[in-house]
Amino acid sequence: MVSAADLEKIVGSDWVVTAKEQTEPYKVDATPPAMMPKAAENVIVVKPATAQEISSIMKLANQEKTPVYVRGGGTGMAGAAIPTLDGIVISMERFDKIEEIDTKSLMAVAEAGVTLGQLLEAADAKNMSFPPHPGDEGAQLGGLVVCNAGGARAVKFGVMRNYVKGLEVVLPTGEIVSMGGKLLKNNSGLPLLHLMVDSEGILGVVTKVVLRLYPRFPGTATMVVSFADRTEAVNAVPAILQAGVIPLAVEFMDKEIADLTANYLGMTWPAQKGTAYLIVILSGANEDEVYSQAEQVAEVCQKHNAVDTLMAERREEQSDILKIRSEVQSAVSPNADSLDTAVPPGDVAVFMNEVDKIAEKYGVKIPVVGHVADGNFHHILKQEIANMGILSDIKDDIYALAIKMGGTITAEHGIGKKGVHMLDRYTDDRQKQIMRDIKKAFDPNNILNPGTAIVP
Ligand SMILES: Cc1cc2nc3c(=O)[nH]c(=O)nc-3n(C[C@H](O)[C@H](O)[C@H](O)COP(=O)(O)OP(=O)(O)OC[C@H]3O[C@@H](n4cnc5c(N)ncnc54)[C@H](O)[C@@H]3O)c2cc1C
């Protein structure tokens, strides 16, 4: 195994951490505690500052066959960043520079340890925007890329994959490679860059990213539309899209969760009427365009028996609503697991009703929030479900339902370490073997994040 002294020779003694109490924070992420993989005892945390240093670490780790785990913001929810074998954690915290916000090519070039919050701020300062908003702004760009994060604002502009145009990557064998660039079109060879996106950190260490930006939307508004009936609420969503309005985001929350989260944050949920809410975020070239979209959304929702419509136009009001939506997971805790299934968007109402029947069968309540226009839901399984010993039965039922409906067991959080056995169940043998072969081509000694994202 690579020793701390070996690593100190590469990065200097200030950037190698071995004291147990200081390595502990690197052994957990945002996975619900009941699903958190058990971390290894002997972990060395190393904090390199350049791709060359990471290259030297990977070469050494390969020689010694020492497992390496890359640590981004630690906001992953599938246990992917947890070091489960004795080895090295590479923390990306010193890769924190934004090299360029290029307003001519509409691209950002940044080191992989820059956080989403930092990128949003830097883009905003140049009148640009980065539309995706996976809930936690502490996530790092490298983590967002390899997890292909989605989040609320995927409806109009898509998930991370749609923004990643270039990458610098240190391969597990130590070579530093550059993929893509500030290019909107690029068809040269097999798309290795897109293999890195959603690789969950098992194919290489991302050190630099080139991301597409958009001009800052001059007009934005956030609507909260209240319904007395959940099915009416979710059925209004395809009707909004059919009417020709493509919002940045359409989120679903019920009253219980909205009030609970607002209380938890010491805030007030703005809607008073109804029990099921759509949060609709609109963007446009100017205020008039957004206003006209809002009128169309309100009209469609009225046809679906909406009982109230609120519109927040000031930035602070809009970000308060988004904050309440983003903090649901923390407010509902302790929870045993948060699922991440998706079904075809047109089948959302059926899926939600069927999950209710599963909950009824087990005599429990399963709160749900979701990126409803994407067909992607987070069913929150509370700790009491784990205490009753029925956690895996309920999960199996919901996963089987999603698959039966042509859906997926994870739409954005990924397989990580917590979902490998489910990937095994729902993937055919040929595809499992291709995934293993790809991993081997990148990482012949299986040193980078073993036990993650593919079936061994
Ligand atoms: C409150 C909250 C809300 C969230 N909402 C959403 C949401 O709406 N949508 C969504 O998609 N996700 C969401 N997430 C999950 C999470 O933010 C994303 O998965 C994010 O992409 C993880 O990034 P990270 O930097 O924290 O990665 P980490 O958790 O540190 O790591 C995740 C994986 O990426 C690898 N990795 C990290 N950095 C690199 C790198 N530079 N090179 C190679 N591998 C790397 C790690 O090894 C690990 O395998 C949410 C999380 C929280 C806590």
Side-chain angles (χ1 to χ4, degrees):
M1 167 144 165
V2 174
S3 70
D6 294 330
L7 294 170
E8 284 177 4
K9 280 187 209 142
I10 298 170
V11 297
S13 54
D14 287 352
W15 306 110
V16 177
V17 181
T18 52
K20 209 171 167 13
E21 64 284 3
Q22 286 169 27
T23 57
E24 284 309 301
Y26 295 86
K27 295 183 179 181
V28 290
D29 62 5
T31 307
M35 299 308 298
M36 187 89 74
K38 189 174 170 348
E41 275 299 310
N42 303 307
V43 168
I44 305 172
V45 177
V46 59
K47 303 180 182 180
T50 64
Q52 283 72 20
E53 286 179 354
I54 294 184
S55 165
S56 303
I57 296 167
M58 296 311 297
K59 283 180 183 159
L60 196 58
N62 245 301
Q63 214 175 295
E64 303 290 324
K65 305 220 176 7
T66 301
V68 176
Y69 301 86
V70 183
R71 170 85 181 186
T75 68
M77 301 180 80
I82 312 290
T84 43
L85 298 171
D86 288 353
I88 302 167
V89 170
I90 296 181
S91 168
M92 298 301 291
E93 62 203 66
R94 292 173 70 207
F95 283 75
D96 59 356
K97 284 161 217 67
I98 297 178
E99 290 183 4
E100 195 184 1
I101 301 290
D102 179 346
T103 52
K104 269 176 143 182
S105 295
L106 284 77
M107 300 272 174
V109 182
E111 291 185 332
V114 167
T115 64
L116 174 63
Q118 287 165 334
L119 177 69
L120 294 176
E121 217 171 277
D124 193 55
K126 292 254 181 138
N127 265 326
M128 305 292 287
S129 76
F130 182 65
H133 197 273
D136 194 321
E137 292 184 8
Q140 295 181 359
L141 302 184
L144 293 165
V145 169
V146 300
C147 295
N148 188 25
R153 297 191 202 149
V155 184
K156 192 167 188 171
F157 294 105
V159 296
M160 277 304 288
R161 184 181 299 285
N162 303 86
Y163 298 85
V164 185
K165 300 300 167 193
L167 293 176
E168 178 186 77
V169 179
V170 182
L171 297 178
T173 36
E175 301 91 341
I176 303 172
V177 296
S178 187
M179 302 169 178
K182 288 184 190 171
L183 298 170
L184 289 173
K185 292 181 166 178
N186 180 7
N187 279 350
S188 57
L190 287 181
L192 297 182
L193 176 139
H194 283 284
L195 208 46
M196 295 305 303
V197 178
D198 197 23
S199 63
E200 299 197 48
I202 70 167
L203 299 182
V205 185
V206 176
T207 46
K208 195 184 285 188
V209 303
V210 181
L211 297 173
R212 183 177 193 173
L213 299 175
Y214 281 81
R216 191 159 75 187
F217 308 114
T220 60
T222 299
M223 301 173 77
V224 177
V225 189
S226 312
F227 296 80
D229 178 70
R230 187 185 67 188
T231 301
E232 295 270 27
V234 298
N235 284 341
V237 177
I240 293 171
L241 302 176
Q242 281 155 9
V245 179
I246 309 290
L248 267 185
V250 187
E251 294 288 295
F252 171 85
M253 268 204 300
D254 70 19
K255 180 172 170 52
E256 201 181 324
I257 289 206
D259 287 343
L260 185 126
T261 311
N263 277 342
Y264 165 82
L265 295 168
M267 298 165 80
T268 307
W269 177 245
Q272 299 302 319
K273 295 183 188 160
T275 53
Y277 308 113
L278 294 181
I279 303 167
V280 183
I281 305 181
L282 300 167
S283 66
N286 52 50
E287 281 178 15
D288 286 349
E289 187 188 327
V290 172
Y291 195 71
S292 137
Q293 288 178 21
E295 277 185 334
Q296 277 178 280
V297 170
E299 202 177 299
V300 170
C301 289
Q302 263 156 26
K303 284 191 189 140
H304 284 80
N305 300 318
V307 292
D308 199 15
T309 301
L310 305 171
M311 185 154 128
E313 285 169 272
R314 282 194 303 115
R315 251 182 149 178
E316 307 77 63
E317 285 175 308
Q318 294 191 57
S319 62
D320 280 358
I321 292 167
L322 191 59
K323 170 121 186 108
I324 294 173
R325 165 61 191 91
S326 297
E327 293 284 340
V328 166
Q329 305 277 356
S330 321
V332 179
S333 90
N335 60 62
D337 204 356
S338 168
L339 306 191
D340 178 38
T341 49
V343 293
D347 299 333
V348 156
V350 177
F351 181 64
M352 290 175 99
N353 292 338
E354 290 299 314
V355 173
D356 279 355
K357 286 185 198 158
I358 293 172
E360 235 169 72
K361 178 173 116 184
Y362 289 96
V364 294
K365 277 181 102 176
I366 305 180
V368 61
V369 287
H371 312 305
V372 56
D374 307 328
N376 176 204
F377 284 95
H378 303 310
H379 284 97
I380 301 171
L381 303 178
K382 292 188 181 171
Q383 185 54 40
E384 66 208 39
I385 290 179
N387 298 344
M388 288 160 74
I390 53 172
L391 180 63
S392 62
D393 292 341
I394 291 191
K395 281 170 58 171
D396 283 353
D397 283 5
I398 297 177
Y399 286 149
L401 171 67
I403 296 290
K404 197 172 109 199
M405 292 182 66
T408 173
I409 57 172
T410 174
E412 53 178 22
H413 293 167
I415 293 295
K417 294 186 177 70
K418 84 168 200 189
V420 172
H421 66 292
M422 296 312 289
L423 182 73
D424 193 11
R425 183 179 301 177
Y426 291 116
T427 312
D428 64 63
D429 288 345
R430 185 70 188 111
Q431 292 193 62
K432 280 186 254 185
Q433 189 54 47
I434 292 172
M435 290 184 205
R436 283 192 282 266
D437 291 345
I438 290 171
K439 168 71 170 161
K440 198 153 192 184
F442 279 80
D443 184 9
N445 291 316
N446 191 26
I447 58 161
L448 187 60
N449 211 342
T452 303
I454 58 169
V455 181

